[in-house]
Amino acid sequence: MASIIVSANPSESRAGRFGVYGGRYVPETLVAALDELERAYEDARANADFQAELSSLLKDYAGRPTPLYFAKRLTEQLGGAEIYLKREDLLHTGAHKINNSLGQGLLAKRMGKKRVIAETGAGQHGVATASACALLGLECVVYMGEVDMERQDLNVKRMRLLGAEVRGVASGSRTLTDAISEAMRDWVTNVRTTYYLLGSALGAHPYPTMVRDFHRCIGKEMKQQILEKEGRLPTAVIACVGGGSNAIGAFYEFIPERAVRLIGVEAGGRGPALGEHAARFQGGAPGVLQGTYSYVLQDDDGQIALTHSVSAGLDYASIGPEHAALHDSGRAEYVSCDDTTALDAVVKLARAEGILPALESAHAAAEAVRIAPAMAANDILIVNLSGRGDKDMGILARELHL
Amino acid sequence: MPIRFDHKPGLVVYVTAGDPSLNATREIAIAAIDAGVDVIELGVPFSDPLADGPIIQRASERALTRGTRLKDVLAVAREIRAARPAAGLVVFSYLNPILRYGLREFASDASAAGADGVLATDMIVEEAGEYLSELDRVKLAPIFLAAPTSPDHRLEAITKVSKGFVYAISRVGITGTQKSVADDARALVARIRRWTNLPVAVGFGISNAGHVAQVAEFADAAVIGSAVVELIERATSERGPDAAPASVAGFIKGLRLPQAALAR
């Protein structure tokens, strides 16, 4: 049984903790930078000019608000709950990631940092960050595992075109986990001049809170839009969970609405054996990875397990700490969807609605496909369609024999 | 045993346990102690060593490939302690292997193995409540890193809970070798001394006698990590699994050259 390192006094709540999870477990060199970031973020969050500039960019540059689309044909085919799609895939750069990249990019600029580093798995955060840096005139370096560079080649080229330097990471599983470690090594070395633009609701405080805040607009819009269209709240909100940024953004406004089910979908990969999937709640245990205390896929010695998913963006050994707290409290449910089922959902959505979802988002769509038929016609499911699938054409062509 | 720096300048040597083998680690540590090292840092290999440069990353990978486990590292600690009762012995680890082992069990077993202290790379003082009380229960010294970027209020907090020595990071960055000891180190050690009388050891990038002599001007000890780990890597690959202890001993003896030899 792993120890839980928390304050001896449970009533003592600290910033950056979600229940027992979260916190800040980093080399000492980074602590001052995290403190500086925390202060700068608190200051920016309360600053009307900062918020106005971000809102303006989200609207005119990124394309917010995104539509909440009723998937009529899919709903009819499944014959149960009404299915709505929150169209984050229509955002500039192709996924929800731009919300956070613009927010943190503005923050970096406000802090006077000229150099931005980022990690990326599927490449969506890398592309969003490269775009934000181009827009804001910041130097941009993106770390990406070599396996991911190969399977998301299009995004590598997009980042380069946008002026970012993409640095391949050859250590470990050569995926997102390794890219984050390498980005943190860069940050430790260049901490005085460099802003680390972390792309998911992960890592040391204040990242999980800050990244969530920049994605809260997803859930806020969802809530308002579904009330306008249906006059009531949904039965469930469904989102895929890698690090968990799109999911926490979609869930957050609904947490107080106890009747709304929150369903996170992890990558079931090729199967339940350790190393074959990225379903942290189905085989992970609490631990510390890359700055935060959360569920971690690991072996009996506390070594981080290799992971697998057909979708690079879900292929990560840990999960954002707020999800760990939502899991333990039972407020959110977490299920997993294997590679094959996710690929089936891509085809289903493409043929029924003419929408090509990202492989990540297809995991969420697959869960709706699974549960909708057994639900009542007046039930409402909202799937957060976090990204579009253009980037996955290489994988899809191979897997689906196109 | 309390951690003491009897030699001037003091020397702390880091080795990744299990590279090239657990037996070799024991022999390397003993040879290093006999060559004049005051404190051995026994590194627990970790799959995701985000504070380490390529040299220690490679050593960790090799040790893990050989199946090195935390309990094996503690067994080696016990053997080193039995062979050299007076040397300082610190377990150096990332947090997750310790958590998985169980913080309480780890503290008990590390203490029983004869370790004097523990340094967890990704444990900072603000998060250390339970960690400190478990180490204190079994009289293990908590050793923390202090960085050039640490402001004074953090140095105060770090030195308040530290025992054994304070590990001052010579420069911002990851572990690895470098050409000269950064000016950062001298200023940092001076700031640390405002808060504590504990010995201060300077590490990160210390790789030769010149560096050690520089550090000796303002600190109590120098920590040699990557340079030793790289030497072990090279000796093992060039001359086989038994070559490293003698190489390391020779290297360490050369680190405390007389001042005249350095002046040139």
Side-chain angles (χ1 to χ4, degrees):
Chain A
M1 181 69 190
S3 291
I4 294 171
I5 347 169
V6 283
S7 148
N9 176 5
S11 65
E12 183 190 331
S13 116
R14 284 183 294 169
R17 284 282 173 188
F18 308 94
V20 298
Y21 300 106
R24 193 179 269 180
Y25 300 94
V26 292
E28 173 64 23
T29 306
L30 292 180
V31 179
L34 289 165
D35 280 338
E36 180 195 7
L37 178 61
E38 184 179 0
R39 283 191 302 272
Y41 173 59
E42 291 302 326
D43 182 67
R45 183 156 73 166
N47 183 282
D49 292 341
F50 177 86
Q51 293 295 349
E53 191 175 3
L54 178 57
S55 295
S56 163
L57 284 177
L58 287 173
K59 178 169 177 284
D60 298 330
Y61 180 76
R64 299 212 74 90
T66 58
L68 183 69
Y69 167 72
F70 175 50
K72 185 162 177 287
R73 275 172 46 88
L74 184 65
T75 299
E76 284 168 5
Q77 283 177 18
L78 295 171
E82 290 189 337
I83 298 175
Y84 279 85
L85 305 175
K86 177 62 172 165
R87 300 293 309 273
E88 294 296 293
D89 61 313
L90 293 178
L91 283 171
H92 177 49
T93 70
H96 72 290
K97 295 290 188 188
I98 191 72
N99 302 326
N100 173 56
S101 293
L102 287 173
Q104 288 199 55
L106 284 178
L107 183 60
K109 202 164 176 183
R110 192 179 159 86
M111 291 172 73
K113 307 279 183 181
K114 305 250 185 292
R115 179 175 183 265
V116 166
I117 58 170
E119 81 298 331
T120 197
Q124 289 304 106
H125 173 59
V127 168
T129 301
S131 301
C133 287
L135 176 72
L136 300 170
L138 300 165
E139 180 190 344
C140 180
V141 174
V142 180
Y143 290 92
M144 189 170 190
E146 287 182 346
V147 168
D148 292 339
M149 284 181 74
E150 197 182 318
R151 60 178 163 172
Q152 308 278 223
D153 176 60
L154 181 66
N155 276 344
V156 174
K157 297 192 166 87
R158 288 170 77 193
M159 286 184 267
R160 286 179 176 151
L161 179 62
L162 290 159
E165 179 191 343
V166 182
R167 294 188 184 168
V169 180
S171 57
S173 59
R174 296 180 290 145
T175 57
L176 180 57
T177 310
D178 313 290
I180 294 176
S181 285
E182 206 55 38
M184 289 186 76
R185 290 185 187 113
D186 182 316
W187 200 33
V188 171
T189 306
N190 301 298
V191 61
R192 286 165 170 148
T193 58
T194 296
Y195 184 96
Y196 181 17
L197 208 162
L198 185 57
S200 197
L202 294 168
H205 178 62
Y207 284 105
T209 300
M210 178 168 69
V211 175
R212 176 200 70 206
D213 288 352
F214 285 132
H215 288 303
R216 276 179 69 175
C217 50
I218 303 172
K220 279 186 185 167
E221 289 173 12
M222 247 184 211
K223 195 171 180 179
Q224 190 187 347
Q225 288 165 325
I226 199 69
L227 288 173
E228 279 166 14
K229 287 177 193 288
E230 295 276 355
R232 59 206 164 95
L233 292 174
T235 312
V237 176
I238 306 174
C240 65
V241 191
S245 67
N246 92 81
I248 201 67
F251 289 174
Y252 196 69
E253 293 305 309
F254 293 99
I255 290 173
E257 309 287 355
R258 309 298 293 186
V260 178
R261 290 171 61 192
L262 305 175
I263 304 174
V265 187
E266 299 184 280
R270 288 185 288 246
L274 193 65
E276 294 293 309
H277 65 88
R280 288 64 47 104
F281 293 128
Q282 330 240 330
V288 165
L289 178 64
Q290 296 172 334
T292 194
Y293 183 64
S294 184
Y295 280 74
V296 180
L297 287 166
Q298 53 183 305
D299 68 14
D300 292 342
D301 296 318
Q303 304 297 341
I304 308 309
L306 298 181
T307 53
H308 163 79
S309 170
V310 69
S311 101
L314 303 185
D315 202 350
Y316 183 60
S318 185
I319 186 167
E322 195 161 11
H323 287 291
L326 290 171
H327 170 268
D328 282 12
S329 71
R331 178 62 192 94
E333 311 154 45
Y334 294 86
V335 297
S336 68
C337 160
D338 64 26
D339 287 352
T340 311
T341 311
L343 286 161
D344 289 348
V346 171
V347 176
K348 201 159 198 78
L349 206 54
R351 303 271 160 91
E353 300 290 346
I355 293 172
L356 172 56
L359 277 166
E360 290 76 17
S361 322
H363 285 70
E367 180 61 10
V369 169
R370 188 179 75 83
I371 65 175
M375 298 175 80
N378 64 352
D379 278 323
I380 300 169
L381 297 177
I382 301 181
V383 174
N384 194 33
L385 210 67
S386 54
R388 71 178 85 127
D390 307 44
K391 71 183 175 64
D392 296 319
M393 279 316 301
I395 299 167
L396 293 170
R398 191 178 69 233
E399 297 289 334
L400 303 172
H401 309 291
L402 301 174
Chain B
M1 285 293 294
I3 292 170
R4 289 168 44 181
F5 294 99
D6 290 335
H7 302 87
K8 296 293 166 204
L11 284 180
V12 179
V13 159
Y14 168 95
V15 289
T16 300
D19 174 45
S21 70
L22 288 158
N23 284 341
T25 298
R26 180 192 61 229
E27 295 307 316
I28 291 164
I30 290 170
I33 292 162
D34 291 347
V37 163
D38 302 272
V39 176
I40 295 289
E41 287 181 346
L42 210 48
V44 178
F46 183 51
S47 53
D48 294 73
L50 58 81
D52 285 302
I55 295 168
I56 293 177
Q57 286 179 48
R58 288 199 300 272
S60 296
E61 272 186 45
R62 288 191 298 267
L64 290 175
T65 303
R66 293 185 63 95
T68 309
R69 310 181 60 178
L70 177 50
K71 71 177 177 61
D72 303 325
V73 180
L74 296 181
V76 168
R78 184 183 289 274
E79 293 172 10
I80 296 169
R81 169 55 70 229
R84 295 296 178 271
L89 193 54
V90 171
V91 178
F92 193 111
S93 183
Y94 287 83
L95 207 43
N96 203 54
I98 293 175
L99 297 182
R100 185 67 182 204
Y101 193 97
L103 187 51
R104 193 177 180 85
E105 296 75 10
F106 166 77
S108 299
D109 292 357
S111 175
D116 301 301
V118 178
L119 196 164
T121 319
D122 45 358
M123 174 57 92
I124 61 171
V125 286
E126 286 86 345
E127 305 286 4
E130 188 181 341
Y131 173 83
L132 286 171
S133 56
E134 285 300 329
L135 295 192
D136 184 62
R137 182 178 59 81
V138 294
K139 304 291 171 254
L140 282 171
I143 295 155
F144 286 92
L145 302 170
T149 51
S150 306
D152 285 346
H153 72 269
R154 292 196 56 76
L155 294 181
E156 182 182 11
I158 289 165
T159 50
K160 196 185 265 179
V161 297
S162 293
K163 289 177 184 150
F165 63 95
V166 178
Y167 187 137
I169 299 173
S170 71
R171 54 163 162 79
V172 297
I174 53 179
T175 61
T177 57
Q178 66 181 353
K179 292 226 159 55
S180 70
V181 180
D183 291 340
D184 277 352
R186 184 185 296 267
L188 173 61
V189 172
R191 289 199 296 130
I192 291 170
R193 293 212 196 276
R194 291 215 294 263
W195 303 106
T196 185
N197 294 320
L198 282 173
V200 180
V202 171
F204 280 38
I206 313 291
S207 58
N208 59 40
H211 294 163
V212 171
Q214 277 178 281
V215 167
E217 289 171 14
F218 57 87
D220 302 288
V223 188
I224 327 284
S226 296
V228 167
V229 173
E230 190 172 36
L231 183 61
I232 293 168
E233 178 181 59
R234 204 168 57 235
T236 304
S237 76
E238 286 171 6
R239 287 180 287 123
D242 301 326
S247 295
V248 170
F251 174 73
I252 286 164
K253 284 175 188 156
L255 288 175
R256 282 204 197 92
L257 293 175
Q259 289 301 311
L262 290 167
R264 275 191 254 191

